Coordinates of all heavy atoms in Angstrom, one line a residue:
R544 N 2.8 -10.3 -22.4 CA 3.1 -9.1 -23.2 C 2.9 -7.9 -22.3 O 1.8 -7.8 -21.7 CB 2.2 -9.0 -24.4 CG 2.6 -9.9 -25.5 CD 1.9 -9.6 -26.8 NE 2.2 -8.2 -27.3 CZ 1.4 -7.5 -28.0 NH1 0.2 -7.9 -28.3 NH2 1.7 -6.3 -28.4
V545 N 3.9 -7.0 -22.2 CA 3.8 -5.9 -21.2 C 3.9 -4.6 -21.9 O 3.7 -3.5 -21.2 CB 4.7 -6.1 -20.1 CG1 4.4 -7.3 -19.3 CG2 6.2 -6.1 -20.5
Y546 N 4.3 -4.5 -23.1 CA 4.6 -3.2 -23.8 C 3.3 -2.5 -24.0 O 2.4 -3.0 -24.7 CB 5.3 -3.3 -25.1 CG 5.4 -2.1 -25.9 CD1 6.3 -1.0 -25.4 CD2 4.6 -1.8 -27.0 CE1 6.3 0.2 -26.1 CE2 4.7 -0.7 -27.7 CZ 5.5 0.3 -27.2 OH 5.6 1.5 -27.9
A547 N 3.1 -1.3 -23.4 CA 2.0 -0.4 -23.7 C 2.5 0.8 -24.4 O 3.3 1.5 -23.9 CB 1.3 0.0 -22.4
P548 N 1.9 1.1 -25.6 CA 2.5 2.2 -26.4 C 2.2 3.5 -25.7 O 1.2 3.7 -25.0 CB 1.7 2.1 -27.7 CG 0.5 1.2 -27.4 CD 0.9 0.4 -26.3
T549 N 3.1 4.4 -25.9 CA 2.9 5.8 -25.5 C 3.1 6.7 -26.7 O 3.9 6.4 -27.6 CB 3.9 6.2 -24.3 OG1 5.2 6.0 -24.8 CG2 3.6 5.4 -23.1
P550 N 2.5 7.9 -26.8 CA 2.6 8.7 -28.0 C 4.0 9.3 -28.1 O 4.7 9.6 -27.1 CB 1.6 9.8 -27.8 CG 1.3 9.8 -26.3 CD 1.5 8.4 -25.8
Q551 N 4.5 9.4 -29.3 CA 5.8 10.1 -29.5 C 5.6 11.6 -29.3 O 4.5 12.1 -29.5 CB 6.2 9.8 -31.0 CG 6.5 8.4 -31.3 CD 6.8 8.2 -32.7 OE1 7.5 9.0 -33.3 NE2 6.5 7.1 -33.3
T552 N 6.6 12.3 -28.9 CA 6.6 13.7 -28.7 C 6.0 14.4 -30.0 O 5.2 15.3 -29.9 CB 8.0 14.3 -28.4 OG1 8.4 13.6 -27.2 CG2 7.9 15.8 -28.1
E553 N 6.5 14.0 -31.1 CA 6.1 14.6 -32.4 C 4.6 14.5 -32.6 O 3.9 15.4 -33.1 CB 6.9 14.0 -33.6 CG 8.3 14.3 -33.6 CD 9.2 13.3 -32.7 OE1 8.6 12.5 -32.1 OE2 10.4 13.5 -32.6
S554 N 4.0 13.3 -32.2 CA 2.6 13.1 -32.3 C 1.8 14.1 -31.5 O 0.8 14.6 -31.9 CB 2.2 11.7 -32.0 OG 2.9 10.8 -32.8
V555 N 2.3 14.3 -30.3 CA 1.6 15.2 -29.4 C 1.6 16.6 -30.0 O 0.6 17.3 -30.0 CB 2.2 15.2 -28.0 CG1 1.6 16.3 -27.1 CG2 2.1 13.8 -27.3
L556 N 2.8 17.0 -30.5 CA 2.9 18.3 -31.1 C 2.0 18.5 -32.3 O 1.4 19.5 -32.6 CB 4.4 18.6 -31.4 CG 5.3 18.7 -30.3 CD1 6.7 18.9 -30.7 CD2 4.9 19.8 -29.3
I557 N 1.9 17.4 -33.2 CA 1.1 17.5 -34.3 C -0.4 17.6 -33.9 O -1.2 18.4 -34.5 CB 1.3 16.2 -35.2 CG1 2.6 16.3 -35.9 CG2 0.2 16.1 -36.3 CD1 3.1 15.1 -36.7
V558 N -0.8 16.8 -32.9 CA -2.2 16.9 -32.4 C -2.5 18.4 -32.0 O -3.5 18.9 -32.3 CB -2.5 15.9 -31.3 CG1 -3.8 16.2 -30.6 CG2 -2.5 14.5 -31.9
L559 N -1.6 18.9 -31.2 CA -1.8 20.3 -30.7 C -1.9 21.3 -31.9 O -2.7 22.2 -31.9 CB -0.7 20.7 -29.8 CG -0.6 20.0 -28.4 CD1 0.6 20.3 -27.6 CD2 -1.9 20.2 -27.6
Q560 N -1.1 21.1 -32.9 CA -1.1 21.9 -34.1 C -2.4 21.8 -34.8 O -3.0 22.8 -35.3 CB 0.1 21.7 -35.0 CG 0.1 22.6 -36.2 CD 0.3 24.0 -35.9 OE1 1.2 24.4 -35.2 NE2 -0.7 24.8 -36.3
V561 N -2.9 20.6 -35.0 CA -4.2 20.3 -35.7 C -5.3 21.0 -34.9 O -6.2 21.7 -35.5 CB -4.4 18.8 -35.9 CG1 -5.9 18.6 -36.3 CG2 -3.5 18.2 -36.9
V562 N -5.3 20.8 -33.6 CA -6.3 21.5 -32.8 C -6.3 23.0 -32.9 O -7.4 23.6 -33.1 CB -6.1 21.1 -31.3 CG1 -7.0 21.9 -30.3 CG2 -6.5 19.6 -31.1
A563 N -5.1 23.6 -32.9 CA -5.0 25.0 -33.1 C -5.5 25.5 -34.5 O -6.2 26.4 -34.6 CB -3.6 25.5 -32.8
S564 N -5.0 24.7 -35.5 CA -5.4 25.1 -36.9 C -6.8 25.0 -37.2 O -7.4 25.8 -37.9 CB -4.6 24.2 -37.9 OG -3.2 24.4 -37.7
F565 N -7.5 24.0 -36.6 CA -9.0 23.9 -36.8 C -9.8 24.8 -35.9 O -11.0 24.9 -36.0 CB -9.4 22.4 -36.7 CG -9.2 21.6 -37.9 CD1 -8.0 20.8 -38.0 CD2 -10.1 21.5 -38.9 CE1 -7.8 20.0 -39.1 CE2 -9.9 20.7 -40.0 CZ -8.7 20.0 -40.1
G566 N -9.1 25.3 -34.9 CA -9.8 26.2 -33.9 C -10.7 25.3 -33.0 O -11.7 25.8 -32.4
W567 N -10.3 24.1 -32.7 CA -11.1 23.2 -31.8 C -10.8 23.5 -30.4 O -9.7 24.0 -30.0 CB -10.7 21.7 -32.1 CG -11.2 21.2 -33.5 CD1 -12.1 21.8 -34.3 CD2 -10.7 20.1 -34.1 NE1 -12.3 21.0 -35.4 CE2 -11.4 19.9 -35.3 CE3 -9.7 19.1 -33.8 CZ2 -11.2 18.9 -36.2 CZ3 -9.5 18.1 -34.7 CH2 -10.2 18.0 -35.9
A568 N -11.7 23.1 -29.5 CA -11.4 23.1 -28.1 C -10.6 21.9 -27.7 O -10.8 20.8 -28.3 CB -12.8 23.1 -27.3
L569 N -9.7 22.1 -26.8 CA -8.8 21.0 -26.4 C -9.3 20.6 -25.0 O -9.5 21.3 -24.1 CB -7.3 21.5 -26.3 CG -6.3 20.5 -25.7 CD1 -6.2 19.3 -26.7 CD2 -5.0 21.2 -25.4

Side-chain angles (χ1 to χ4, degrees):
R544 279 192 62 208
V545 297
Y546 171 74
T549 57
Q551 299 177 32
T552 302
E553 295 82 0
S554 300
V555 175
L556 295 175
I557 289 171
V558 166
L559 292 173
Q560 182 61 55
V561 168
V562 168
S564 295
F565 279 94
W567 292 342
L569 176 66

